[in-house]
Amino acid sequence: MNTNGNTYTVIYSTVLVILVAAILAFVSMALKPRQDDNVKVETISKILTAANLYDAEAAAQKGNAYVLEQYQNCVASAEIINYEGKTLQTLTIKGEDGKPVIFDALKPQYDLMKKIADAQDKGQSESEINALKAQLQLPVYTFNSDGRKIRVVPCYGAGLWGPVWGYLAFEEDMNTLDGAVFDHKGETPGLGAEIAHEKFYSQFHGKQIYDQAGNFVSVKVVKGGAHGDINGVDAISGGTITSNALQKTIEQWLSFYVPYFKTIASENAAAQAGTDETGTNINAEE
Amino acid sequence: MKDVNYKELLLKPIFKGNPVTVLVLGICSSLAVTVQMKGALVMALSVTVVTGLSSLVVSMMRNSIPNRIRIIVQLVVVSLMVILVDQFLKAYSYSISKTLSVYVGLIITNCIVMGRIEAFALGNRPIPSLVDGLANGAGYGLILVIVSFVRELLGSGTLFGMRIIPQSFYDAGYMNNGLIILPPMALILLGCIVWVQRSLQKDLQEK
């Protein structure tokens, strides 16, 4: 047979491509549910790590099932709020398939935040900016941990080579961080990539996002060392751009959560005052 | 058809004709994925599977492939294998597939795969081609494991993620070598391996 003819070549390549496409489509469809599960479990494990509820050893032994179970045992509520702190939607904790629903559309929120910042730079009117802000969907996961409620919020932004993201867990005062965890797509190994290591993110434990005067300052990632600053952690040597990007990301996200944080903090303070019979002058923050 | 010497086929690519140190193919990925042994091992297995299966499939098709689109056909077969490996890793070994990130996809451009298909599978029967592909993947993997062993041990003080260098060393002032985590150091290590191999094997030395 003449394998060099035009007709043969065209038919051969067509058949080959169709065949390969069919195989790939089949495999992709067959493996898709498993892959989606893995992505979801990965996200949940990050959220749990931030809230100090994650046991890496148990996860290594029992796999995905442990992570889902641990989440469902500890979570009190999961909801999406808007920039004013109003609840837009609650997320299912145990869906029909037995798995929780996790809000994973962080990138669209980040894009929206960039638009809002642009609009503010251009000096657009308040109502235009608020219309943009109203589109924001901000997830909050609340966990029960030793009788306290720990609230975990995400952040997502641009690092040096690709996206960086993470989760921040707050104590009931909505000021002190209980923990944090970060991840990245492709920061430089040994430098920027260190943000994903415990040595870096464990520094966030006990840090606060308001300064002494009660102004929102977020948590700074300080080059040269934070030296015990309650609002700062040590940056990574050689990873300045990633460190700065992370600081900006945290600040950007938390700034939209501040109204919600204040509401919760004052509710908690009021509840505290209610249970405490002698408690009189506990003033909730505005 | 002449008899195939399977032993020669299997052993040559692992040492005497190693694709990385002798043919100097597939350098790019051996620099990128050798920071940790676990990743290097999975990468080695993935490349072995891809070279083996691609060689096998191309060899089975070799008499029907139109010569003018030979390279494209090979490329389609190789990409099929690579995407399959990538999909399976994502489904069954997610954390490792995250560590390897784009480099699994980049196996497509690994010169070893196309090199073995062009040089061997197109002119040989399927079974010898499969063996040749697997052996070359293993040769590549061996270098990856050696390089990652040194890099993980000196760079992070661990092997397969387990702490090897005891805490007392760190207390006494020992520090992990940050330079060794960066790609240039992998190239230098690779150079050292080539050096050792060439001094052991005189016939590889150029006059």
Side-chain angles (χ1 to χ4, degrees):
Chain A
M1 192 155 82
N2 175 19
T3 57
N4 282 324
N6 282 345
T7 326
Y8 179 83
T9 307
V10 170
I11 294 173
Y12 189 92
S13 48
T14 313
V15 170
L16 182 75
V17 167
I18 291 174
L19 203 68
V20 168
I23 296 173
L24 287 181
F26 174 76
V27 171
S28 167
M29 269 159 58
L31 295 177
K32 187 89 178 126
R34 259 197 100 91
Q35 295 171 352
D36 289 348
D37 271 7
N38 284 335
V39 174
K40 186 183 267 184
V41 164
E42 157 99 14
T43 311
I44 296 176
S45 67
K46 292 279 174 219
I47 297 175
L48 289 171
T49 309
N52 291 320
L53 293 166
Y54 186 69
D55 181 356
E57 262 176 43
Q61 272 171 18
K62 296 182 207 155
N64 290 1
Y66 160 79
V67 179
L68 293 175
E69 200 178 306
Q70 177 75 358
Y71 175 80
Q72 283 163 344
N73 285 344
C74 297
V75 75
S77 68
E79 57 204 347
I80 294 174
I81 59 159
N82 68 2
Y83 75 103
E84 289 169 313
K86 304 243 160 43
T87 305
L88 295 175
Q89 185 191 337
T90 44
L91 297 169
T92 319
I93 289 165
K94 194 159 189 164
E96 280 168 17
D97 56 353
K99 295 184 187 109
V101 176
I102 296 295
F103 183 79
D104 52 10
L106 296 181
K107 185 168 187 297
Q109 313 311 319
Y110 168 68
D111 293 338
L112 204 54
M113 285 176 193
K114 270 200 303 198
K115 264 194 212 160
I116 294 168
D118 273 355
Q120 281 164 342
D121 285 348
K122 284 186 200 143
Q124 289 182 8
S125 71
E126 194 74 8
S127 60
E128 276 176 311
I129 293 171
N130 279 344
L132 281 174
K133 280 186 180 173
Q135 295 173 33
L136 277 176
Q137 293 181 302
L138 306 165
V140 180
Y141 305 92
T142 311
F143 294 94
N144 293 317
S145 170
D146 295 334
R148 296 167 305 157
K149 289 240 187 305
I150 303 286
R151 286 180 174 77
V152 179
V153 299
C155 62
Y156 181 104
L160 174 57
W161 304 115
V164 291
W165 61 92
Y167 290 89
L168 299 147
F170 286 89
E171 300 281 358
E172 283 180 341
D173 63 0
M174 300 317 283
N175 177 14
T176 314
L177 280 159
D178 185 47
V181 68
F182 303 101
D183 206 351
H184 62 94
K185 182 136 195 202
E187 298 306 294
T188 321
L191 303 174
E194 296 291 311
I195 60 165
H197 291 170
E198 198 178 350
K199 195 179 167 193
F200 175 74
Y201 63 69
S202 60
Q203 294 187 86
F204 283 76
H205 177 80
K207 297 294 172 186
Q208 296 186 342
I209 59 165
Y210 298 103
D211 65 8
Q212 297 287 340
N215 299 316
F216 170 70
V217 290
S218 179
V219 178
K220 303 287 177 217
V221 183
V222 187
K223 191 175 176 179
H227 303 295
D229 182 357
I230 195 76
N231 300 120
V233 296
D234 299 349
I236 296 154
S237 326
T240 309
I241 298 179
T242 308
S243 300
N244 289 346
L246 191 66
Q247 168 182 316
K248 198 178 146 212
T249 303
I250 296 171
E251 182 170 359
Q252 187 174 32
W253 277 74
L254 290 185
S255 68
F256 290 103
Y257 276 102
V258 165
Y260 171 77
F261 285 178
K262 292 200 164 160
T263 324
I264 297 292
S266 58
E267 271 173 24
N268 285 342
Q272 194 88 35
T275 52
D276 186 5
E277 283 173 3
T278 54
T280 44
N281 276 326
I282 298 175
N283 232 338
E285 221 169 344
E286 280 297 81
Chain B
M1 202 172 261
K2 64 180 190 311
D3 278 341
V4 188
N5 183 351
Y6 282 106
K7 197 178 160 200
E8 162 91 4
L9 210 53
L10 202 60
L11 292 182
K12 198 179 168 215
I14 293 181
F15 190 70
K16 239 169 90 185
N18 191 293
V20 185
T21 57
V22 178
L23 308 178
V24 201
L25 296 175
I27 296 295
C28 156
S29 58
S30 48
L31 303 188
V33 298
T34 49
V35 177
Q36 284 165 340
M37 283 198 83
K38 207 168 153 194
L41 203 65
V42 174
M43 183 69 178
L45 283 175
S46 308
V47 170
T48 308
V49 169
V50 170
T51 39
L53 290 182
S54 314
S55 286
L56 175 72
V57 172
V58 170
S59 171
M60 289 195 302
M61 295 161 55
R62 70 186 190 282
N63 292 326
S64 71
I65 300 176
N67 201 36
R68 278 184 294 175
I69 57 164
R70 180 177 93 245
I71 299 286
I72 299 174
V73 170
Q74 291 165 16
L75 209 59
V76 169
V77 173
V78 176
S79 359
L80 169 70
M81 297 306 167
V82 171
I83 296 171
L84 288 183
V85 166
D86 189 31
Q87 294 285 321
F88 274 97
L89 280 182
K90 272 191 186 138
Y92 293 95
S93 183
Y94 186 70
S95 60
I96 290 185
S97 103
K98 257 194 81 183
T99 332
L100 295 178
S101 68
V102 296
Y103 294 102
V104 176
L106 285 178
I107 297 176
I108 297 173
T109 60
N110 194 322
C111 322
I112 299 171
V113 187
M114 289 293 273
R116 289 331 290 170
I117 292 176
E118 273 285 296
F120 196 92
L122 276 181
N124 287 280
R125 279 178 300 161
I127 299 300
S129 302
L130 174 68
V131 174
D132 177 75
L134 291 177
N136 273 282
Y140 166 85
L142 179 72
I143 301 300
L144 237 63
V145 169
I146 295 174
V147 173
S148 63
F149 175 83
V150 178
R151 288 184 79 191
E152 192 178 348
L153 187 65
L154 299 182
S156 319
T158 57
L159 286 180
F160 289 106
M162 281 188 302
R163 188 139 294 285
I164 296 294
I165 296 177
Q167 189 60 41
S168 55
F169 274 51
Y170 291 98
D171 296 341
Y174 174 83
M175 272 169 83
N176 287 329
N177 188 339
L179 183 63
I180 216 154
I181 294 190
L182 299 175
M185 211 53 203
L187 195 60
I188 293 171
L189 279 173
L190 215 54
C192 294
I193 296 174
V194 174
W195 177 21
V196 169
Q197 189 180 7
R198 292 200 169 204
S199 53
L200 289 176
Q201 247 179 291
K202 301 279 188 242
D203 56 325
L204 282 178
Q205 294 171 6
E206 289 91 0
K207 291 272 150 44

